[in-house]
Amino acid sequence: MATVIVGAGIIGSATAYYLSQSTSTTPSTIHLVESSPELFASASGYAAGFLARDWFSSPSSSLGALSFDLHKQLAQENNGSEKWGYSRSTGTSLIDQTGQRGEAWCREGASRAEVAGEYEFIDGKGPAWLSRKHQARLEVISDGDSTAQVLIPNPKSSPNPNLFHLLFDPLRLSRFLLSICVSRGVHLHQPFRPIAITTSPDTGALSSVLITSTASSSSLPQTQPISIPCTRLILTAGAWTPTVFSTLFPASKLDLPISSLAGHSLLLRTPKWNVGDEKKKQGNYSSHHTHHHHEGKEEGGCHAVFTTDPAGYSPEIFSRSNGEIYLAGLNSSTLPLPEVATARVIDGKSIKVLRRTAERLLGGHAVRRYRHQHQHHRIKNNNNAIELEGSSSFSATVRSDGSDADVEDSNSDLEPDSNQNSNFSIIREGLCFRPVTAKGTPLISKIDNRDVGLGEGKGVGEGKSEGVWVAAGHGPWGISLSLGTGKVVAEMVEGKERLSAEVAGLGFGGLGRGESLEYGR
């Protein structure tokens, strides 16, 4: 059976990865359709790469555990530490002089899912790159070990001893997954968007999807729509999923309860954090992981720091094993969703807020030159040798007021000013749009035949392994839940009775069919 997956981000690529790995589906019958001229131009390439196992509410808990284990397995089998920076991380909360806790979103559901159980925390030394005032204190939330020795359970709660997490670069993982898919024979259509479906005149079952190029260059010839055979349609287009659905099924009265949440971010480098610090952590881990209690966390190793900011938002800052530091947390539900991800317009005021936060947390100032990485990458199959093409970069001068001056070409990596060791460099400004639901849990389900506008008795496919599925709305947890979602959706479309995770609570019944969506943050 022919399968079309609309959206080649990390969810779509993970779905194609596990579906092409199955002995029940021929990889050459799988088609990935991506509308953006730049691969991974939204959350799949601009998210933090924060990976948790037990930080999920009940409907997503089984999927969270499965996905965490799959991330670990994939990294172990494919040298993930080198290929996409897979590493253990210590989670910490930076508490300011007012007593506001950085991880408050865990309890309030403001940014990420609520943590299972309540904990008292142990003060730790924390990361060396973090600058904190004498009034502030740092407390450990979780460590990268399943025994979680740094946590003291609160006797008034029902603690979960597995509050631990990992970090990696989601862009590099997304590239890896897609490269493997293409090497197996999966077809990638990019940049193309779906415009219509066709059905069998006899049964009313789905038979094909029409796609058209989104390339806007006047030098390219106009192409006719392409018809792709399709009996299984999977929608994994992130925040664009409702648009795709309404385009393909204009007569449907079903509204997918998914909206977009825009988030700005900065990717930084500082002399205070380098790859050697992570190696130091790995060495210290081996000598400490059997202890019941740590006197204090070593300053080496990757960290996830959650805090508050005078600007009125909750920054999240992560150090990666390749020496990068990722800063985000400044979100908006009012920024309009662009037609394609590359049409995004970064808000200069939001970037200035993030820069001030970076100066407060890292100390010093942004150096006057930074490198911005454009990610125009294509993947081609050349005798099963997958290549990433089209990487380019430029450097810009930053004025003291935070605005950009003249832009000049540069292909060299720019290091922080050696004479200003307290400063940091900004290597990327980012904006991505995360798909969110009002309930805060993703939508992973087969869509009822009656809801795709084709009528009872002649729906899109009469068999269990034919029809339309949706996997979107993961919010800030898309990277963490990506592999579990891909595996479960692959099992769904193949009609398997038993799934690897319990996702019954992630269907339309859990979100409320046809509800209007309001997302306050």
Side-chain angles (χ1 to χ4, degrees), residues 137-209:
R137 70 183 190 277
L138 193 72
E139 295 184 348
V140 173
I141 302 173
S142 60
D143 190 25
D145 180 19
S146 61
T147 55
Q149 299 94 329
V150 296
L151 297 176
I152 301 177
N154 186 330
K156 297 181 181 180
S157 69
S158 300
N160 186 336
N162 293 316
L163 270 173
F164 60 111
H165 60 265
L166 303 158
L167 285 171
F168 58 89
D169 183 349
L171 175 60
R172 290 157 63 192
L173 174 59
S174 297
R175 291 176 184 167
F176 171 82
L177 292 172
L178 186 54
S179 296
I180 295 299
C181 289
V182 174
S183 71
R184 291 173 178 170
V186 173
H187 301 279
L188 173 62
H189 306 269
Q190 184 247 351
F192 281 84
R193 65 181 179 89
I195 56 174
I197 63 164
T198 61
T199 59
S200 167
D202 298 325
T203 65
L206 183 64
S207 61
S208 68
V209 173

Side-chain angles (χ1 to χ4, degrees), residues 482-512:
S482 59
L483 298 189
T485 298
K487 184 172 182 61
V488 167
V489 172
E491 294 169 344
M492 283 181 170
V493 301
E494 291 191 333
K496 293 187 177 180
E497 295 289 340
R498 296 186 56 135
L499 303 178
S500 296
E502 175 56 57
V503 294
L506 303 180
F508 285 92
L511 293 175

Side-chain angles (χ1 to χ4, degrees), residues 91-109:
T92 52
S93 173
L94 181 61
I95 305 168
D96 65 21
Q97 60 267 32
T98 67
Q100 289 186 296
R101 308 189 68 91
E103 87 291 355
W105 49 260
C106 298
R107 311 181 193 288
E108 299 168 3

Side-chain angles (χ1 to χ4, degrees), residues 49-388:
F50 180 81
L51 178 60
R53 192 180 202 278
D54 296 319
W55 290 35
F56 302 100
S57 58
S58 179
S60 303
S61 60
S62 177
L63 183 65
L66 170 67
S67 197
F68 188 94
D69 294 341
L70 289 175
H71 276 287
K72 180 179 180 180
Q73 178 184 358
L74 187 72
Q76 289 175 339
E77 294 176 351
N78 297 278
N79 192 19
S81 60
E82 293 295 329
K83 291 183 178 179
W84 57 88
Y86 179 92
S87 60
R88 285 184 297 268
S89 176
T90 301
T92 52
S93 173
L94 181 61
I95 305 168
D96 65 21
Q97 60 267 32
T98 67
Q100 289 186 296
R101 308 189 68 91
E103 87 291 355
W105 49 260
C106 298
R107 311 181 193 288
E108 299 168 3
S111 177
R112 301 187 186 274
E114 291 186 358
V115 175
E118 297 287 330
Y119 291 87
E120 300 295 338
F121 302 95
I122 299 172
D123 282 330
K125 296 179 181 178
W129 48 261
L130 183 65
S131 173
R132 42 189 200 273
K133 306 298 183 181
H134 68 277
Q135 300 98 331
R137 70 183 190 277
L138 193 72
E139 295 184 348
V140 173
I141 302 173
S142 60
D143 190 25
D145 180 19
S146 61
T147 55
Q149 299 94 329
V150 296
L151 297 176
I152 301 177
N154 186 330
K156 297 181 181 180
S157 69
S158 300
N160 186 336
N162 293 316
L163 270 173
F164 60 111
H165 60 265
L166 303 158
L167 285 171
F168 58 89
D169 183 349
L171 175 60
R172 290 157 63 192
L173 174 59
S174 297
R175 291 176 184 167
F176 171 82
L177 292 172
L178 186 54
S179 296
I180 295 299
C181 289
V182 174
S183 71
R184 291 173 178 170
V186 173
H187 301 279
L188 173 62
H189 306 269
Q190 184 247 351
F192 281 84
R193 65 181 179 89
I195 56 174
I197 63 164
T198 61
T199 59
S200 167
D202 298 325
T203 65
L206 183 64
S207 61
S208 68
V209 173
L210 294 177
I211 63 173
T212 187
S213 173
T214 62
S216 58
S217 174
S218 58
S219 63
L220 296 176
Q222 293 294 321
T223 59
Q224 295 296 319
I226 299 172
S227 178
I228 306 176
C230 178
T231 57
R232 307 187 300 198
L233 177 62
I234 307 171
L235 306 182
T236 61
W240 289 267
T241 301
T243 301
V244 172
F245 179 78
S246 61
T247 298
L248 297 181
F249 304 101
S252 176
K253 296 181 180 180
L254 177 67
D255 292 324
L256 298 190
I258 297 170
S259 184
S260 67
L261 181 68
H264 285 84
S265 63
L266 292 178
L267 200 59
L268 313 166
R269 283 192 183 274
T270 172
K272 299 177 184 178
W273 168 246
N274 55 60
V275 178
D277 292 328
E278 168 59 11
K279 292 180 179 179
K280 173 185 174 184
K281 165 78 173 192
Q282 300 297 336
N284 288 340
Y285 175 82
S286 299
S287 62
H288 286 295
H289 80 283
T290 57
H291 295 180
H292 289 289
H293 182 75
H294 287 236
E295 292 301 325
K297 297 306 296 174
E298 62 273 15
E299 295 187 357
C302 295
H303 283 77
V305 178
F306 307 97
T307 186
T308 56
D309 190 88
Y313 78 108
S314 299
E316 304 173 0
I317 186 165
F318 308 89
S319 56
R320 294 174 176 172
S321 62
N322 65 349
E324 296 173 346
I325 292 180
Y326 176 94
L327 171 63
L330 190 60
N331 302 323
S332 171
S333 60
T334 60
L335 281 181
L337 185 69
E339 185 175 349
V340 293
T342 50
R344 62 187 180 267
V345 178
I346 293 178
D347 177 48
K349 292 182 179 179
S350 296
I351 294 299
K352 285 185 179 180
V353 171
L354 288 173
R355 284 180 179 173
R356 293 191 192 102
T357 300
E359 290 172 354
R360 182 174 62 86
L361 294 179
L362 301 182
H365 302 280
V367 294
R368 292 184 60 80
R369 298 175 63 83
Y370 67 91
R371 181 170 61 89
H372 183 96
Q373 190 75 30
H374 290 289
Q375 299 168 16
H376 297 287
H377 298 281
R378 291 181 182 275
I379 293 181
K380 71 176 184 178
N381 189 356
N382 181 16
N383 296 324
N384 291 329
I386 309 303
E387 299 177 6
L388 292 168

Side-chain angles (χ1 to χ4, degrees), residues 433-447:
F433 294 84
R434 296 179 176 89
V436 297
T437 65
K439 191 177 179 181
T441 53
L443 176 60
I444 303 174
S445 176
K446 184 175 184 179
I447 298 177

